[in-house]
């Protein structure tokens, strides 16, 4: 024990040895190091009777699970063997003073080029639950994604009954065509990219699609047990309703933060969100099978993939011959695709535990206030080209406060750290919309966005209140906004235009949900608060990839604080170059 405490100060690997040797007292503080190797390579995968070569990690689809405990260090060596530039993002991991490992291309790093590698190195601090990793460049996350399972520290129990088994359920979106071609073509023409051909559960579309019955996820359970389902929405462009026929679920965690448990038959999960639910199986074998299904919650003006992915919940028996085929199959009832009142009620139920062990540290005073409109718009068509955007010869665009973010050609974090921002970005991102209008009423006649690389600069430890307001330009739509580097508290939401005089009185500063991705309600607004206690450059964007591609993204720069532990360390030596 003495030796362990001593060496712990010097080398993590030795701390890991102490952990293995059963030094629980120490382990509670130190955590171990977990090494992973991600070989990015092509793999032939057949779905819907069509074989396609997709980008994978280690040839696996979905990709491998990262499993760690709270407090562990995770080291992932990513080697790029494909023709595309690649980066990997550890979605929801706070990356405290490890912003170089965050992963969004041209924000915190230049991409890993063909034949190159990069080691992502970060410690999971103060988080436990489900998150996920995904590629963070172009549309590569269509096939490059996998779960991150963060267990509590050794010897620490869940604040709910210990489940019999834990099962990650990761939703994806499948195109028969090459997604990189789809997005590169769409960005040239300015038109909307093609919608997907299927949704998937753990990579499998399931029996409701043509030529897909054999590609169905099966959840085999025993009667009278509790299962923890770790739901992850890794789909590119669609929020999803999820349900299991004849079974109710208890939500216990969202975005790697425990919530006050509540029962529901249906879960709404946006791209970028994760939700842990407890599934209690029936006391006795029910002599039936049950469909597990998910299909979109869609509010926007554009066409969407209105199909349903399904898996099968099967009860196992002790009999050797399982004849599930003969058993009746029950199907869950999911809300209609545009059921915004369901969405609103569901998100309102999510509340922090807010107890002594898991306090909700909502910033009570606000240093900086921001009001951002989020929504669609248009941008001009380049000369000598015809474009297929929403209005005559324009391109589809999306913006925050009418700024459509232009991806720089070098990483913002590098430019910031080495004080070379000139020509890369400016710090004049507007705190309010440049033009006031009735955001949820008739749109203004000019819906052209401004294209620029602008950021907001925040001093260390400032507390931020941000109201995000949907606009009805081209069409009101729910936008799942994701913030890197922080969890935020969802203190308020409403429909119509946000009223700064009346609405703050209704804010929940006691037990609001704490998360990293929140749906800005279709035709409404959401208010969040966070403490800027993590120095670095932090991306914020809609997690509908099509909107990100159109520019619905921006970045916050959090400056170093004065203290030794309030500064971003220099980049690792192998940080990729542009
Ligand atoms: Cu899940 Cu910026 O991403
Ligand atoms: Cu969006």
């Amino acid at each position: 024990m003495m030796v362990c405490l001593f060496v712990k100060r010097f080398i993590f690997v030795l701390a890991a040895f102490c952990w293995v040797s059963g030094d629980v007292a120490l382990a509670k503080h130190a955590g171990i190091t977990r090494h992973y190797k991600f070989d990015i390579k092509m793999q032939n995968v057949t779905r819907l009777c069509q074989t396609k070569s997709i980008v994978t990690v280690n040839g696996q689809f979905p990709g491998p699970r990262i499993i760690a405990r709270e407090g562990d260090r995770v080291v992932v060596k990513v080697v790029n063997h494909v023709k595309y530039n690649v980066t990997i993002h550890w979605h929801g991991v706070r990356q405290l003073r490890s912003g170089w490992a965050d992963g969004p291309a041209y924000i915190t790093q230049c991409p890993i080029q063909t034949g190159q590698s990069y080691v992502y190195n970060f410690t999971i601090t103060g988080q436990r639950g489900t998150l996920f990793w995904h590629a963070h460049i172009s549309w590569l996350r269509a096939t490059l994604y996998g779960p991150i399972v963060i267990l509590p520290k050794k010897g620490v129990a869940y604040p709910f009954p210990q489940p019999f088994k834990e099962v990650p359920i990761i939703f994806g979106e499948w195109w028969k065509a090459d997604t990189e071609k789809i997005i590169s073509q769409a960005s040239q023409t300015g038109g909307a990219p093609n919608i997907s051909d299927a949704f998937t559960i753990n990579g499998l579309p399931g029996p409701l699609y043509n030529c897909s019955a054999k590609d169905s996820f099966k959840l085999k359970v025993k009667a009278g047990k509790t299962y923890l389902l770790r739901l992850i929405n890794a789909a590119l462009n669609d929020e999803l309703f999820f349900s299991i026929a004849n079974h109710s679920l208890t939500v216990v965690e969202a975005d790697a933060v425990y919530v006050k448990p509540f029962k529901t038959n249906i879960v709404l999960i946006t791209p970028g969100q994760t939700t842990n639910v407890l599934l209690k199986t029936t006391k006795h074998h029910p002599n039936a099978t049950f469909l597990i299904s998910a299909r979109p919650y869609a509010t926007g003006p554009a066409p969407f993939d209105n199909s349903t992915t399904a898996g099968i919940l099967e009860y196992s028996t002790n009999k050797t011959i399982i004849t599930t085929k003969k058993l009746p199959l029950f199907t869950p009832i999911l809300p209609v695709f545009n059921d915004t009142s369901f969405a609103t009620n569901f998100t309102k139920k999510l509340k922090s535990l807010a107890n002594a062990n898991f306090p909700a540290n909502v910033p009570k005073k606000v240093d900086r206030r921001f009001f951002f409109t989020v929504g669609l718009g248009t941008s001009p068509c380049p000369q000598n080209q015809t474009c297929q955007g929403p209005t005559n010869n324009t391109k589809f665009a999306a913006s925050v406060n009418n700024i459509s973010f232009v991806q720089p050609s070098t990483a913002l974090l590098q430019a910031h750290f080495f004080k070379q921002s000139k020509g890369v970005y400016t710090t004049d991102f507007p705190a309010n919309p440049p033009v006031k209008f009735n955001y949820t009423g008739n749109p203004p006649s000019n819906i052209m966005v401004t294209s620029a690389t602008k950021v907001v600069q925040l001093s260390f430890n400032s507390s931020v209140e941000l109201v995000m307001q949907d606009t009805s330009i081209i069409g009101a739509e729910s936008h799942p906004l994701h913030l890197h580097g922080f969890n935020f508290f969802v203190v308020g939401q409403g429909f119509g235009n946000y009223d700064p005089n009346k609405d703050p009185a209704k804010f929940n500063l006691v037990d609001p949900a704490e998360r990293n991705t929140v749906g800005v309600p279709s035709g409404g607004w959401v208010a969040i608060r966070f403490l800027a206690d993590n120095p670095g450059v932090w991306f914020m964007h809609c997690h509908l990839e099509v909107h990100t591609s159109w520019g619905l993204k921006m970045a916050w720069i959090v400056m170093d604080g004065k203290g030794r532990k309030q500064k971003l360390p220099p980049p690792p030596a192998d940080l990729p170059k542009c």
Side-chain angles (χ1 to χ4, degrees), residues 89 91 104 132 134 136 272 482 484 539 541 543:
H89 168 52
H91 178 112
F132 68 121
H134 61 75
H136 210 309
H482 170 53
H484 287 226
F539 207 20
H541 59 93
H543 219 280

Side-chain angles (χ1 to χ4, degrees), residues 89-92 102-104 132-136 141 233 271-273 482-484 516-517 539-543 545 548:
H89 168 52
W90 319 92
H91 178 112
D102 194 37
F132 68 121
W133 58 265
H134 61 75
H136 210 309
R141 77 177 180 88
N233 189 347
Q273 291 183 334
H482 170 53
L483 174 61
H484 287 226
N516 64 58
T517 305
F539 207 20
M540 190 176 84
H541 59 93
C542 181
H543 219 280
E545 205 57 43
T548 311

